[in-house]
């Protein structure tokens, strides 16, 4: 089943690109892997920003298997980015990738960013998948590092997506949205809450973008199989359609 309420991927006559973007915390693929892949396929994304990708034994094999089942390819990230991962369709032309590890706070899980610069026809865009800290002070510092990374992407536009571990209005969330557009706030579509699949009550996952990227809709798909959503992982996916101007 495909999500049809959002625009499909396409290239406009002026070279701009309509791109479908998915952000999804997959909890290290510890749940129903086939259900997870069905959810991703149903969203028909061009780019998937993954959080909590497998990080340990044979993690590359697990990531490659998820990409194959989802009819995508691995772009960057995984254990080398401490969990964030990027997957893409063959529509994307890859310019470069870089995995970034953030400073380690003793006693806490290490965090990182999976980044890439890709092109869709005449549109060039930077990508950053992130998963911010559970601890308030560290999360706020990481939000600043995320903005620094966006500024250093050397791309005309950048999309950031991930598990922010904070609700809108929080200090870190607000720090990000002072400089980046929040897809749900700009163009709400579908459902708002991303946690948890069995009891959606909070929005802690988001798709953000620099100015110039046009959100055509952003939110949690509401016409996916509820059984698959509950079986796949402990978060709900966030799907957006965006228009990226040509360079």
């Amino acid at each position: 089943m495909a999500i049809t309420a959002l625009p499909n991927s396409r290239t406009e006559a002026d070279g701009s690109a309509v791109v479908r973007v998915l952000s999804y915390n997959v909890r290290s693929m510890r749940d129903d892997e086939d259900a997870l892949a069905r959810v991703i396929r149903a969203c028909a994304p061009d780019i998937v920003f993954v959080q909590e990708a497998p990080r340990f034994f044979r993690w590359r094999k697990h990531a490659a298997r998820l990409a194959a089942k989802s009819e995508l390819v691995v772009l960057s990230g995984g254990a080398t980015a401490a969990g964030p991962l990027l997957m893409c369709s063959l529509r994307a032309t890859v310019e470069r990738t870089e995995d970034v590890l953030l400073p380690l706070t003793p006693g806490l899980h290490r965090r990182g960013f999976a980044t890439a610069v890709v092109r869709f026809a005449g549109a060039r865009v930077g990508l950053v998948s992130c998963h911010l800290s559970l601890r308030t002070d560290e999360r706020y510092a990481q939000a600043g590092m995320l903005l620094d990374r966006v500024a250093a992407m050397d791309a005309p536009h950048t999309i950031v997506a991930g598990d922010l571990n904070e609700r809108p209005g929080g200090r870190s969330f607000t720090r990000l949205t002072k400089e980046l557009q929040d897809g749900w706030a700009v163009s709400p579509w579908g459902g708002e809450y991303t946690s948890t699949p069995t009891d959606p009550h909070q929005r802690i996952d988001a798709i953000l973008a620099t100015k110039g990227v046009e959100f055509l809709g952003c939110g949690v798909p509401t016409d996916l199989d509820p059984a698959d959503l509950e079986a796949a992982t402990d978060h709900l996916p966030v799907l957006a359609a965006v228009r990226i101007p040509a360079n």
Side-chain angles (χ1 to χ4, degrees), residues 48-97:
V48 183
F49 297 72
V50 175
Q51 302 85 49
E52 290 193 34
R55 296 182 293 116
F56 300 111
F57 184 64
R58 293 183 176 175
W59 65 269
R60 287 184 175 86
K61 178 179 179 180
H62 294 307
R65 187 173 66 243
L66 176 62
K69 287 185 176 182
S70 305
E71 299 176 358
L72 301 165
V73 297
V74 173
L75 180 53
S76 70
T80 47
L85 177 82
L86 289 167
M87 301 191 299
C88 67
S89 71
L90 296 180
R91 184 182 178 218
T93 299
V94 182
E95 285 193 8
R96 68 176 189 270
T97 66

Side-chain angles (χ1 to χ4, degrees), residues 66-150:
L66 176 62
K69 287 185 176 182
S70 305
E71 299 176 358
L72 301 165
V73 297
V74 173
L75 180 53
S76 70
T80 47
L85 177 82
L86 289 167
M87 301 191 299
C88 67
S89 71
L90 296 180
R91 184 182 178 218
T93 299
V94 182
E95 285 193 8
R96 68 176 189 270
T97 66
E98 182 180 3
D99 300 332
V100 179
L101 289 175
L102 302 183
L104 175 64
T105 301
L108 296 182
H109 169 62
R110 189 157 204 173
R111 305 285 174 171
F113 304 142
T115 79
V117 176
V118 302
R119 286 182 288 111
F120 294 95
R124 184 167 173 267
V125 63
L127 311 170
V128 184
S129 180
C130 67
H131 187 185
L132 303 188
S133 175
L134 289 165
R135 200 169 87 174
T136 304
D137 58 343
E138 186 181 48
R139 182 167 63 246
Y140 186 76
Q142 289 171 354
M145 295 175 203
L146 180 55
L147 292 173
D148 290 343
R149 177 57 50 174
V150 170

Side-chain angles (χ1 to χ4, degrees), residues 1-33:
M1 176 180 66
I3 305 294
T4 57
L6 285 180
N8 291 323
S9 304
R10 64 177 183 267
T11 301
E12 309 277 37
D14 63 358
S16 62
V18 174
V19 177
R20 291 167 71 100
V21 176
L22 184 70
S23 183
Y24 209 1
N25 184 319
V26 303
R27 193 159 68 164
S28 299
M29 295 170 58
R30 297 199 304 265
D31 301 288
D32 188 330
E33 189 176 304

Side-chain angles (χ1 to χ4, degrees), residues 125 157-159 181 209-215 242-245:
V125 63
H157 310 285
T158 299
I159 299 171
Q181 302 179 79
T210 53
K211 293 178 176 61
V213 175
E214 181 186 0
F215 279 96
V242 299
R243 180 180 287 109
I244 305 168

